[in-house]
Amino acid sequence: MADFSRRRLLGGGAAVLGAVGLGAAGAGVAVATRVSERMGANTVEPHGVHQAGIDTEPQAFATFVALDLRPDVDRAGVIGVMKVWAEDTRRLTQGVAALGDTEPELAVDPARLTVTVGYGSAAFDASASAAARPTWLRPLPSFDIDRLEDRWSGGDLLLQVCADDPVTVSHAVRTLTKSVRSRASVRWVQRGFRHAVGTRPDGLTMRNLMGQVDGTVNPQPATPDFDRQVWNAGEPAWLAGGTSLVLRRIRMELDTWDELDRPAKDLVMGRRQSDGAPLTGTAEHDDADFEMVDDHGIPVIPPESHVARARPRSADEQFLRRAYNYDDDGAGLLFAAYQGDVDRQFVPVQKRLAEHDALNTWTTPVGSAVFLIPPGYGPDGYPGDALLEN
Amino acid sequence: MADFSRRRLLGGGAAVLGAVGLGAAGAGVAVATRVSERMGANTVEPHGVHQAGIDTEPQAFATFVALDLRPDVDRAGVIGVMKVWAEDTRRLTQGVAALGDTEPELAVDPARLTVTVGYGSAAFDASASAAARPTWLRPLPSFDIDRLEDRWSGGDLLLQVCADDPVTVSHAVRTLTKSVRSRASVRWVQRGFRHAVGTRPDGLTMRNLMGQVDGTVNPQPATPDFDRQVWNAGEPAWLAGGTSLVLRRIRMELDTWDELDRPAKDLVMGRRQSDGAPLTGTAEHDDADFEMVDDHGIPVIPPESHVARARPRSADEQFLRRAYNYDDDGAGLLFAAYQGDVDRQFVPVQKRLAEHDALNTWTTPVGSAVFLIPPGYGPDGYPGDALLEN
């Protein structure tokens, strides 16, 4: 426990972290978060109470990679994978080539690179930690709307690699997967994008490929709401500061969606596509008024609209969305939701939407995966050290 | 011919182009090239002697789409496709939604969008223009190194859509393909990327996913070399100002490539990966000295190296490269070469490389397509009007 506490402490704040010598390679790496005039030089701190890439302002590009552990990998093997990933992450996020990096010239522009590591259910069995596995770490219940394909679902481990440059993401994904290939094989890769940096004025909510403003009702990092929704409070204790990722690949049926006229689309959503405002309001961030009726007594926001069905019925039913567009192999949304407890926060909302949501006619879930995101780690730690070294 | 000349003249220079009213929609579109403080607002002029997207400084993202004409499409049908694409291009490149655009909110950030249209061989048959088809408009000769797949090869028509924002590219591709779907179906889509704007200092040559500096020996736009290599001089006459595109999908065998050490890689290429300089020089743009030998009389640049084999044997054997990385379905390079005459300029170099090139062990052509790129067009014209309306 002494070691555990020291590690947590070291990981606990950027203020205590200075330049870190990286040993044999001799490269000094400043781990404090830096913002540069040149976008490519911007860095995000990899160490802390939480893993980076969740409360990080979303980067323009995200690649999600699921890996399966090879059958002979045991607890020591899982720890080995994690230590390699932590070391690669320390270096790559600061613009330093990984150890043994064969294309070090592709590592020099971190562009706010973050690497977020997740554990699938099977990683707990492999590491002889099944007793420590939260009950929510399992596939979601099956829903009638699902048309799930194995090639986009499941996985023993997750890498979420985000940056503002696609070459940086590509190189980091290759490096991280290559580093562990004796122990884990790639199960699927899903690539997502938002607007490139500089395309739009800062601070706008993203638009998805249906054209909708997507992600308006989201908690703001470093607020009590965010902390309550996203970070696990310690159930189980070792998970404090961690979270979960539910990744749903949601195909958009754009051809039929485009047959609707604009008023019909807005009624399906309960928001206006033009500015993202609820049908009862005038600006994107106005609260939706689900009680408002028109002159005929008809609700302005239809009860079967997406926003009406998605509306949380209790404070528990909230979580962080950090979605990305995809347009390979169909087009749609990589819907990434982060919450401290999947069963309590995510599942009730998804159940309600699956039972009825006007939008379901034009969206089809084709992939689904659930991962536990361990807490952050310090300069001597790795993702999951709180689980595997206590 | 009077109409032809007028159109050519109008297309001939941005200086004569002012604001253009777009009719029913009432949107005013300034077609002069604009550079804005916000990257997303930057525009590229769609009209001119040449189509845009070739002498345009390469944008960060490119999607190449091949389409096949439906069997019943005749000359009028081809003209119809081209007129729709020209109109969509006029609007989308200036940040104006296409006519009937169902997601107009995704059209507001052109981010230097260009749309470049190509004709495959079959488009000449469909448009009853076979007599006007250059002899070089056909599949490349087959090479022993080829492992071509139909899913990345051929096509009756080409759309090359480039911009600095991936959402803009995605929306433009959807709009352009949807606009013509009664007449043409998508055969394949290939997506490529370079570094995002702002990642690196301006003016650096791109790096490919092997980490190599890629594209050093390229003509500079608006120079005699560029004009001579890229723009067809009028063989046949209607093609003056047009060019051709050879698109090769070249898979990189990164796993085995990474087994080579750095000196071996540099000998395979004849250039240093670190800075792109030829092995006989000290800076990227130094001329390679193929005569230089070391103390043992051995050529410093191996005769079987990639640069030695690729070196033009005559002034004819030169062309413009405008390549993009890909990392879906394997990783590699979308090698895009533009030249006035495929047979005279491209084929001799490709033959020599196919016969022997040290790099061949680690690269595999898996797709190949040849398109004619018609000359540019004016505000009343369309790609190929010089062919179809003379």
Side-chain angles (χ1 to χ4, degrees):
Chain A
M1 273 311 282
D3 185 55
F4 170 79
S5 300
R6 184 182 64 80
R7 197 166 50 235
R8 293 270 75 74
L9 180 67
L10 280 173
V16 303
L17 302 169
V20 178
L22 281 169
V29 177
V31 291
T33 300
R34 284 175 306 176
V35 177
S36 162
E37 273 187 44
R38 184 166 57 77
M39 174 273 274
N42 294 344
T43 59
V44 176
E45 163 65 42
H47 301 132
V49 176
H50 315 297
Q51 288 195 63
I54 298 164
D55 59 5
T56 306
E57 177 72 18
Q59 297 97 326
F61 303 94
T63 295
F64 298 86
V65 184
L67 301 96
D68 285 336
L69 289 162
R70 301 196 188 279
D72 59 339
V73 172
D74 58 8
R75 186 181 183 97
V78 173
I79 292 174
V81 167
M82 294 298 151
K83 286 187 169 175
V84 167
W85 281 349
E87 183 63 17
D88 286 351
T89 298
R90 280 180 191 105
R91 303 178 68 99
L92 291 171
T93 59
Q94 306 306 309
V96 176
L99 294 169
D101 197 328
T102 44
E103 286 84 28
E105 292 86 0
L106 300 182
V108 299
D109 304 301
R112 296 205 302 141
L113 176 70
T114 57
V115 178
T116 315
V117 171
Y119 283 52
S121 176
F124 282 77
D125 297 312
S127 62
S129 309
R133 177 170 45 209
T135 51
W136 50 255
L137 184 55
R138 61 185 173 206
L140 296 186
S142 65
F143 302 103
D144 286 348
I145 56 172
D146 289 353
R147 299 292 178 272
L148 303 186
E149 302 176 38
D150 277 349
R151 61 181 178 141
W152 308 123
S153 300
D156 298 351
L157 296 174
L158 170 85
L159 284 169
Q160 173 195 300
V161 180
C162 302
D164 287 323
D165 178 59
V167 179
T168 296
V169 171
S170 183
H171 174 68
V173 166
R174 173 158 171 77
T175 300
L176 292 158
T177 53
K178 194 169 69 167
S179 295
V180 303
R181 65 183 162 196
S182 65
R183 292 178 170 135
S185 58
V186 172
R187 178 183 177 95
W188 50 250
V189 179
Q190 302 192 53
R191 294 172 190 78
F193 58 92
R194 294 173 165 222
H195 281 289
V197 172
T199 302
R200 306 203 296 169
D202 288 343
L204 294 186
T205 308
M206 75 169 269
R207 283 190 186 269
N208 64 35
L209 295 182
M210 281 178 158
Q212 300 152 353
V213 176
D214 195 308
T216 299
V217 183
N218 242 349
Q220 294 305 306
T223 62
D225 268 354
F226 191 100
D227 292 349
R228 176 180 56 80
Q229 294 177 30
V230 178
W231 305 126
N232 188 292
E235 301 166 358
W238 68 269
L239 188 51
T243 184
S244 64
L245 166 64
V246 175
L247 182 67
R248 304 270 290 175
R249 185 179 181 96
I250 300 178
R251 193 176 66 208
M252 294 173 169
E253 313 300 347
L254 292 177
D255 288 346
T256 50
W257 176 248
D258 286 346
E259 294 169 359
L260 294 190
D261 63 12
R262 182 56 65 96
K265 286 181 175 180
D266 290 355
L267 286 169
V268 166
M269 288 304 293
R271 288 185 181 276
R272 283 195 297 270
Q273 183 165 320
S274 58
D275 58 7
L279 298 183
T280 54
T282 58
E284 179 191 346
H285 291 282
D286 287 350
D287 285 333
D289 180 352
F290 297 101
E291 308 303 320
M292 188 184 289
V293 293
D294 67 12
D295 294 344
H296 308 286
I298 298 174
V300 176
I301 298 178
E304 65 276 21
S305 67
H306 181 67
V307 295
R309 295 296 294 172
R311 178 176 61 87
R313 269 40 172 181
S314 77
D316 274 348
E317 296 184 0
Q318 294 178 299
F319 43 82
L320 172 71
R321 290 167 292 158
R322 200 173 185 276
Y324 284 87
N325 302 309
Y326 75 87
D327 72 356
D328 53 343
D329 216 320
L333 196 68
L334 305 179
F335 182 89
Y338 305 81
Q339 51 281 307
D341 185 313
V342 175
D343 285 351
R344 193 168 66 216
Q345 296 172 256
F346 185 87
V347 171
V349 179
Q350 180 63 63
K351 268 191 177 154
R352 190 163 56 245
L353 292 173
E355 282 163 16
H356 195 74
D357 171 1
L359 188 60
N360 287 346
T361 304
W362 300 279
T363 57
T364 308
V366 295
S368 185
V370 179
F371 297 99
L372 177 148
I373 310 290
Y377 52 94
D380 299 318
Y382 58 83
D385 53 7
L387 167 70
L388 298 175
E389 301 212 349
N390 63 5
Chain B
M1 274 307 282
D3 184 56
F4 172 78
S5 299
R6 186 183 64 80
R7 198 167 49 237
R8 292 270 77 70
L9 180 68
L10 280 174
V16 301
L17 302 170
V20 179
L22 281 170
V29 178
V31 292
T33 300
R34 284 176 306 177
V35 176
S36 162
E37 272 188 43
R38 185 167 56 79
M39 175 273 275
N42 294 343
T43 59
V44 177
E45 163 63 43
H47 301 133
V49 176
H50 315 295
Q51 288 194 63
I54 298 164
D55 59 4
T56 307
E57 177 73 17
Q59 296 97 324
F61 303 94
T63 293
F64 298 87
V65 183
L67 301 96
D68 286 337
L69 289 163
R70 300 198 188 278
D72 58 340
V73 174
D74 58 8
R75 186 180 182 98
V78 173
I79 291 174
V81 168
M82 294 298 151
K83 285 186 171 176
V84 167
W85 280 350
E87 183 62 16
D88 286 351
T89 298
R90 279 180 192 104
R91 303 177 69 98
L92 291 172
T93 60
Q94 306 306 309
V96 177
L99 294 170
D101 197 328
T102 44
E103 285 84 27
E105 292 86 359
L106 300 182
V108 299
D109 304 301
R112 294 204 303 139
L113 176 69
T114 58
V115 178
T116 314
V117 171
Y119 283 53
S121 177
F124 282 77
D125 297 313
S127 61
S129 310
R133 178 170 44 210
T135 51
W136 50 254
L137 185 55
R138 59 185 173 207
L140 296 186
S142 66
F143 302 104
D144 286 348
I145 56 171
D146 287 354
R147 298 291 179 274
L148 303 185
E149 301 176 39
D150 278 348
R151 63 181 176 140
W152 309 123
S153 300
D156 298 351
L157 296 174
L158 171 84
L159 285 169
Q160 172 193 299
V161 180
C162 302
D164 287 325
D165 177 60
V167 179
T168 297
V169 171
S170 183
H171 175 67
V173 166
R174 172 157 172 78
T175 300
L176 291 158
T177 54
K178 194 170 69 167
S179 295
V180 303
R181 63 183 163 197
S182 65
R183 292 178 170 136
S185 59
V186 172
R187 179 185 177 93
W188 50 251
V189 180
Q190 303 192 51
R191 293 172 190 79
F193 58 92
R194 294 174 166 220
H195 282 288
V197 172
T199 302
R200 305 203 298 169
D202 288 342
L204 294 186
T205 309
M206 75 170 269
R207 285 189 185 270
N208 64 34
L209 295 182
M210 281 177 158
Q212 299 151 356
V213 177
D214 195 307
T216 299
V217 183
N218 242 351
Q220 293 305 306
T223 62
D225 268 355
F226 191 100
D227 292 349
R228 176 179 57 79
Q229 294 177 32
V230 177
W231 305 125
N232 188 291
E235 300 166 0
W238 69 269
L239 188 51
T243 185
S244 64
L245 165 63
V246 176
L247 182 66
R248 305 269 289 174
R249 186 180 178 95
I250 301 178
R251 193 177 66 209
M252 294 173 169
E253 312 301 347
L254 291 176
D255 287 346
T256 50
W257 175 249
D258 286 347
E259 294 169 358
L260 294 189
D261 62 13
R262 182 54 66 95
K265 286 181 175 179
D266 289 354
L267 286 169
V268 166
M269 288 304 294
R271 289 187 179 274
R272 282 194 298 270
Q273 183 165 321
S274 58
D275 58 8
L279 298 184
T280 55
T282 56
E284 179 191 345
H285 290 282
D286 288 349
D287 285 333
D289 180 352
F290 296 101
E291 308 303 319
M292 189 185 287
V293 295
D294 67 12
D295 293 345
H296 310 286
I298 296 172
V300 175
I301 297 178
E304 65 277 18
S305 68
H306 181 67
V307 296
R309 296 295 293 172
R311 177 176 62 88
R313 268 40 171 181
S314 78
D316 274 348
E317 296 183 0
Q318 294 178 300
F319 45 81
L320 172 70
R321 289 167 291 157
R322 200 172 185 278
Y324 284 87
N325 301 309
Y326 75 86
D327 72 356
D328 51 342
D329 216 321
L333 196 69
L334 304 180
F335 183 88
Y338 304 82
Q339 51 282 305
D341 184 315
V342 175
D343 285 351
R344 194 167 66 217
Q345 297 172 257
F346 185 87
V347 171
V349 178
Q350 181 63 62
K351 270 193 177 151
R352 190 163 58 246
L353 292 173
E355 282 162 17
H356 196 75
D357 171 1
L359 188 59
N360 286 346
T361 303
W362 299 280
T363 58
T364 308
V366 296
S368 185
V370 180
F371 297 98
L372 178 146
I373 310 290
Y377 53 95
D380 298 318
Y382 58 84
D385 53 8
L387 167 69
L388 297 176
E389 301 210 350
N390 63 6

